[in-house]
Amino acid sequence: MNFILNLIMEAYVRRILTINDTKMKYISVSDKLYEITKISFFYMTVEAVQTDLTVNDAPENEVWDISEFKNYKVKLVNNGGQAEVIDFDEWKDKRDAR
């Protein structure tokens, strides 16, 4: 049953999850935007692909900072097709050290 529920949720999110006029479409990482391609609330995972957009190119209610997904396993795919799984605590430590 959980598997079927997860499939339904993923299909729903692909159509852009809307909650109180908030859409989960992009993840902001530093100055880059990644478009969310898959999200699983059951497995707590997010996958996103890098875009050529800036934060100013997308509506504010569609952009989520990477820190909003600190409890998720996040997989980011850059323009070269290479994926990177983000360990949030490690990423935050590196960013704070700058």
Side-chain angles (χ1 to χ4, degrees):
M1 183 69 174
N2 286 336
F3 178 74
I4 293 170
L5 180 61
N6 192 43
L7 287 176
I8 292 169
M9 288 299 294
E10 287 179 17
Y12 182 69
V13 169
R14 279 188 212 112
R15 290 185 203 112
I16 305 173
L17 177 64
T18 304
I19 302 172
N20 297 330
D21 196 34
T22 300
K23 300 176 182 177
M24 296 177 76
K25 189 166 183 182
Y26 299 103
I27 296 175
S28 171
V29 181
S30 298
D31 60 345
K32 299 177 185 171
L33 277 188
Y34 289 78
E35 185 173 8
I36 297 173
T37 55
K38 185 176 180 183
I39 187 166
S40 172
F41 298 107
F42 180 77
Y43 293 108
M44 305 278 296
T45 60
V46 176
E47 291 183 21
V49 179
Q50 186 177 353
T51 69
D52 293 328
L53 302 174
T54 66
V55 173
N56 296 329
D57 295 331
E60 184 179 343
N61 67 332
E62 294 182 354
V63 179
W64 293 71
D65 189 77
I66 187 75
S67 64
E68 298 291 332
F69 297 95
K70 64 183 174 186
N71 296 322
Y72 285 73
K73 183 178 281 189
V74 179
K75 179 179 176 182
L76 301 175
V77 180
N78 66 21
N79 286 334
Q82 295 182 341
E84 179 179 358
V85 176
I86 301 294
D87 176 329
F88 185 78
D89 290 330
E90 183 179 314
W91 176 83
K92 186 176 179 212
D93 290 344
K94 286 180 185 176
R95 187 175 101 174
D96 292 344
R98 292 182 195 171

